[in-house]
Amino acid sequence: MKRIIIVLAIASTLSAFAQKPKTTTEKQKMDAFISNLMSKMTVDEKIGQLNLVTGGEATTGAAVSTGVESKIAKGNVGGIFSLTTPQKIRKAQEIAMRSRLKIPLIFGQDVIHGYKTTFPIPLALAASWDLPMIEKTARVAATEATADGLNWTFSPMVDLARDPRWGRVAEGSGEDPYLGAEIAKVMVKGYQGNDLKAVNTMMACVKHLALYGAAEAGRDYNTTDMSFDRMYNEYLPPYKAAIDAGAGSVMVSFNDINGVPATANKWLLTDLLRKEWGFKGFVASDYTGVSELIAHGLGDLKTVSGLALKAGTDMDMVSEGFLTTLKQNLNEGKVTIAQINMACRLILEAKYKLGLFDDPFKYCNDERAAKEILSQENLKFAREAATKTFVLLKNDQQTLPLQRKGTIALVGPLANTASNMPGTWSVNADMSKVPTLLQGLKEVAGNNVKITYALGSNLIGDPNQQIWGTAHGRDIPRDNRPESEIIAEAVKVAEKADVVVAALGEASEMSGESSSRTDIGIPDTQRRLLAALLQTGKPVVLVLFAGRPMTLTWEQQNVPAILNVWFGGVEAAKAIGDVLFGDVNPSGKITMTFPQNVGQIPLYYAHKNTGRPLGDRKWFTRFWSNYLDVSNDPLYPFGYGLSYTTFTYGDIKISSNNLKPGQKIKLTTTVTNSGKYAGEEVVQLYVRDLVGTSTRPVKELKGFQKISLQPGETKTVTFEIGEEMLRFYNSQLKYVSEAGDFKAFIGTNSRDVKEVDFKLVK
Ligand code: BGC
C-alpha cells in the first residue's frame, strides 16, 4: 500500500508539469481528481486506458479491433478512433458510462484537411503560404468534427519530406523546416483554440514522431537513418513547434531511427520529447505500431509491448499488446507500476482537459451538427481556400485565363469523377455532394460557353495499377475499348473546340499512405492522350491533379499552360473554374521542389554547397558536383508559382550591414504589379551563413509575406533580421549563432532573388 502511495505521489509530482494549467488551483483540482480516480482503479483498468481500438471504418492495416463493445464494458478501452457516425460514438460512450468506473472514452479520427467540409490536401494548403487561412481550415474542421462527437484529431502531420516518391508528402507541408514549423503551430492553434474544454475545440495529435518523411527511397514505412545535424536543424523543428504550440498528444512513427524503431525508442520519446522538449501530453503509437516491433526484430508481443511502454509510448493503437501482456510484464518485473500509472494518468489528464468527466456526451450535438456541418459559410470558405492553393506552373502567351465564350473541350480520366476531387484522407467527405470538374466548370462558366467532354484515356494503362491507385472507393470506371479508340474519340471532341482543358495526373489514392511511386510522371496512357491533344493544334491547358511534386519535364516543354490543382477538397471543381476563368488569380507557390527526373531525388533548395559546387559553371563540368545526363536544376524551384499578372522586384535596401545580438537590421524592397490583373504575391526571405563551424545550407527560408497588389500598384515590403534567426544546432547540438559573413535574399521563389551582404558582429 505504502509503495502505491509513493508511486502515486511521484506520478502526481511529475504530472505537476502537465500542460499549461490556467491557474495552480485548476491544475491541483485536476491532479486531485485523477489521483482519486486512479486510487480506485485496478491494474487491469489502468491498462485498459492505454488501449486504443478502431471502430473498423477507414482502417489502414491488416488488423482490426474485435469485440469492442464488451471490452468497453469491462473497462478495457481508453479510446476509439474511426467511428464515423455520431450515433455510433454516442452508443460507445453509453457503454463506457455503464462500466464500473464510468471513465469516458476519447474519440479520435483522421480529420486531416477538414471534416465534411473537406479542404485541399495539406501539401496544397501549404502552397497557399496563408497562415491565417490554414489556421481557419483547422478551426472549421474542429467545429464540424466536434459537433459529430469527435474530440481528438490525428493531425497535424508535420513530417518534413524531400522525396516525392513517398505518397505521404500529400499529408504534410513539404520540404522546409521553417514553413513546416509555422504551419504546425497554426494547425494546433486552429484545432485546440484557447480552451480545450470548449465544445468546438479538439485535441491535436502531432505526427509522426519522427523522421517518417525520410523513409529510404520514398518507400512507405521504410527505414530512416540520419545524422543529428540534419535531424535537429531540418527534420525536428516542425514537431517541436507543434509541441511548443501546446499539442495535447503525439503519434509515434512506424519507421526505425538509426536502428531503433520509434515506438520503442527511449531516446526519442523520453530523452528528446519529454526531457529536452518538455512535452506534457500523451503519446500514442501509430496503427499496430507496437506489434510491428515484432517484424522490426525486437522480440515477441510481450517483449515489444514492455519495450514500447518503457520507451514512452502511452497508448497502443490497435495492437492490443498493452492490453494482453502488460500485466504479465508487470508481474515479471519487466515494467513497473509507475510506468503504467504514468501512461494512464497522462491519458486521463487528456480526458479531463477536454471536459469529458464533466459531460461525456458534450461533443455529440445534433443541433450544432445540423447547423454547422457543411454550412454555406464553410463551403464558401472551402472554395476560396482551394483557389489559393493552386499553382500556375506555366502560362505561355496568356493561354489562361479562359474566356467565357466558344467551346471548351474537357478531356481526361479526372474530368468527370467526384470521388477523386477531395484527396487522400477525406474519409468524411460526402461524395454525393461533391461536384465533378465537368459539373463545376459548367456551373462557373455560365451560359455563353459550351463545354464538351470525353474520357480520353484510362487512368493507367495497366488495369491492376489502376485498381491499386483507386482504392477506398475512389473509383474511376475503366473503359475497356482499345486505347487508340478512346483517344481518337477525345481528339474528335478537341478538334471541334476552341480550347482543350486536359484533366490529368494522379487519382486521389495515388498519393497518401501506402502510395509510393518510383515513376512520378503523368501515367503512360494519359501522357499519350496529352500528346494526341497537342497534335490537334488547339491550345491545351493541363489541369494537373497531384498529391506530390510530379516530373513534368516533357509537359513543361510541350504544353502551353499548366495549372497544378492538387486535390482541392469538396469545392475543388468550382474553385478550379474560378481560377481557369480568371475570377481568381492564382497565387500558390510550391513548397516542395519539382525535379526534372526521379534520379535527382532528393532534390531540395536548402542543400549544402559541397567542396565542389557546380555554381555558375556550365553543366556538364567534369570534376564538379553534377550529373552527366541531367543538370542540377530543378524543373520548378521551391517557392515557385506564376500569376496571371507579373511582379517586379526592386533592389534590397539594408538598414545596416552589421548586425549585433539584441539588435535588428531591416531589409526593404519594393514589389510592383507590372501586369494587367490584380494579384497576390508571396515575397520570400532567405539567408545564407557563409562561414561557420559546420556546413550550412546555400539558402534557408527565414520569412515571407503575402501581399496583394492592384495593377500598377507598388508596395514596400520590409523584413527584419535578428541574431536569433541565424542560430542553428552546431556539431555539439548547441543552438548558437556564429559571427561572420551572411547573405540575405528576397524574391519571388528560392531561385529568382535579389541579394545583399551583411555581417553578424559579436
Ligand atoms: C497512419 C496514421 C493514421 C492512423 C489512424 C495509420 O496507418 O499512419 O497517420 O493517423 O493510421 O488512422
Side-chain angles (χ1 to χ4, degrees), residues 291-312:
S291 53
E292 286 174 30
L293 294 171
I294 303 170
H296 273 289
L298 263 57
D300 60 12
L301 187 63
K302 190 183 77 182
T303 308
V304 298
S305 300
L307 288 175
L309 181 79
K310 280 194 287 190

Side-chain angles (χ1 to χ4, degrees), residues 124-138 179 182-183 186-187 381 384-389 587-589 591 680-682 704-707:
L125 286 174
S128 74
W129 299 60
D130 188 335
L131 297 175
M133 186 194 89
I134 295 173
E135 179 174 336
K136 193 171 161 192
T137 63
L179 183 62
E182 292 298 301
I183 292 176
V186 297
M187 292 289 289
F381 172 54
E384 273 166 28
T387 61
K388 287 178 188 278
T389 66
S587 59
K589 306 244 190 184
T591 61
E680 292 188 310
E681 167 72 338
V682 181
F704 57 89
Q705 289 176 37
K706 193 161 183 180
I707 55 170

Side-chain angles (χ1 to χ4, degrees), residues 104-276:
L105 298 164
I106 187 171
F107 291 98
Q109 213 192 77
D110 291 274
V111 180
I112 307 290
H113 47 111
Y115 183 61
K116 292 211 169 141
T117 301
T118 314
F119 298 105
I121 56 168
L123 186 62
L125 286 174
S128 74
W129 299 60
D130 188 335
L131 297 175
M133 186 194 89
I134 295 173
E135 179 174 336
K136 193 171 161 192
T137 63
R139 184 86 290 284
V140 170
T143 306
E144 290 195 357
T146 51
D148 259 359
L150 299 166
N151 41 42
W152 184 30
T153 175
F154 299 153
S155 174
M157 189 278 219
V158 302
D159 301 319
L160 192 101
R162 293 173 167 178
D163 190 332
R165 290 172 298 184
W166 190 50
R168 302 200 79 170
V169 302
E171 299 174 51
S173 302
E175 74 182 45
D176 189 63
Y178 173 80
L179 183 62
E182 292 298 301
I183 292 176
K185 279 189 240 172
V186 297
M187 292 289 289
V188 171
K189 225 170 120 213
Y191 290 130
Q192 298 195 161
N194 297 323
D195 179 10
L196 258 188
K197 271 210 160 86
V199 288
N200 62 355
T201 57
M202 68 199 307
M203 188 169 276
C205 184
V206 52
K207 70 188 191 186
H208 308 81
L209 192 75
L211 321 182
Y212 187 21
E216 274 181 9
R219 178 159 57 78
D220 208 0
Y221 318 120
N222 205 0
T223 295
T224 58
D225 199 315
M226 189 182 285
S227 73
F228 283 103
D229 171 13
R230 171 157 285 176
M231 251 191 236
Y232 273 76
N233 285 309
E234 300 166 20
Y235 280 73
L236 294 180
Y239 306 107
K240 175 146 192 318
I243 283 152
D244 289 346
S249 63
V250 163
M251 189 187 294
V252 191
S253 58
F254 288 123
N255 52 289
D256 67 333
I257 296 176
N258 299 351
V260 184
T263 314
N265 196 317
K266 184 168 169 300
W267 167 78
L268 179 75
L269 302 179
T270 299
D271 301 346
L272 180 76
L273 179 65
R274 298 232 179 250
K275 295 192 186 148
E276 210 173 307

Side-chain angles (χ1 to χ4, degrees), residues 348-417:
L348 294 175
E349 282 185 359
K351 296 179 177 183
Y352 184 95
K353 287 177 195 153
L354 287 164
L356 283 166
F357 287 107
D358 301 331
D359 178 1
F361 299 99
K362 63 189 268 206
Y363 293 100
C364 292
N365 186 330
D366 297 344
E367 213 175 291
R368 205 157 69 72
K371 199 166 128 233
E372 303 199 14
I373 295 178
L374 288 171
S375 68
Q376 282 314 306
E377 196 188 334
N378 290 356
L379 288 172
K380 185 168 167 270
F381 172 54
R383 179 165 169 178
E384 273 166 28
T387 61
K388 287 178 188 278
T389 66
F390 303 156
V391 184
L392 185 63
L393 294 173
K394 183 177 176 192
N395 193 20
D396 266 10
Q397 283 150 22
Q398 306 219 304
T399 311
L400 287 173
L402 301 176
Q403 299 187 15
R404 279 190 164 93
K405 60 178 194 199
T407 302
I408 299 173
L410 178 63
V411 177
L414 291 152
N416 198 20
T417 159

Side-chain angles (χ1 to χ4, degrees), residues 595-714:
Q596 295 183 65
N597 69 22
V598 171
Q600 290 182 306
I601 296 171
L603 187 69
Y604 49 93
Y605 82 94
H607 60 84
K608 301 286 180 80
N609 201 37
T610 82
R612 295 190 178 194
L614 189 63
D616 293 332
R617 279 170 210 89
K618 224 177 81 223
W619 168 63
F620 167 82
T621 309
R622 193 165 293 280
F623 301 127
W624 294 86
S625 182
N626 59 163
Y627 301 100
L628 284 169
D629 57 346
V630 67
S631 77
N632 290 348
D633 301 328
L635 182 64
Y636 307 118
F638 175 86
Y640 171 88
L642 303 173
S643 165
Y644 294 154
T645 193
T646 47
F647 298 105
T648 313
Y649 281 66
D651 288 332
I652 306 174
K653 291 203 187 96
I654 188 162
S655 61
S656 163
N657 294 94
N658 290 328
L659 170 64
K660 296 199 182 110
Q663 298 180 348
K664 302 240 186 268
I665 51 173
K666 276 194 176 146
L667 273 63
T668 309
T669 189
T670 55
V671 183
T672 304
N673 181 342
S674 37
K676 287 192 306 212
Y677 297 87
E680 292 188 310
E681 167 72 338
V682 181
V683 185
Q684 300 160 38
L685 169 74
Y686 297 87
V687 162
R688 175 168 183 188
D689 187 347
L690 286 162
V691 184
T693 55
S694 301
T695 58
R696 308 286 303 124
V698 296
K699 267 182 201 137
E700 286 178 280
L701 183 71
K702 292 288 176 183
F704 57 89
Q705 289 176 37
K706 193 161 183 180
I707 55 170
S708 57
L709 292 169
Q710 294 300 315
E713 189 184 352
T714 298

Side-chain angles (χ1 to χ4, degrees), residues 456-471:
S457 78
N458 282 309
L459 179 71
I460 305 175
D462 177 340
N464 273 332
Q465 287 200 28
Q466 173 148 343
I467 290 168
W468 298 333
T470 50

Side-chain angles (χ1 to χ4, degrees), residues 557-598:
Q557 276 160 10
N558 293 288
V559 185
I562 308 174
L563 182 69
N564 186 343
V565 297
W566 314 107
F567 294 96
V570 289
E571 290 291 276
K574 288 179 232 163
I576 295 170
D578 293 338
V579 170
L580 288 179
F581 288 109
D583 301 340
V584 179
N585 190 349
S587 59
K589 306 244 190 184
I590 52 175
T591 61
M592 272 188 89
T593 304
F594 278 45
Q596 295 183 65
N597 69 22
V598 171

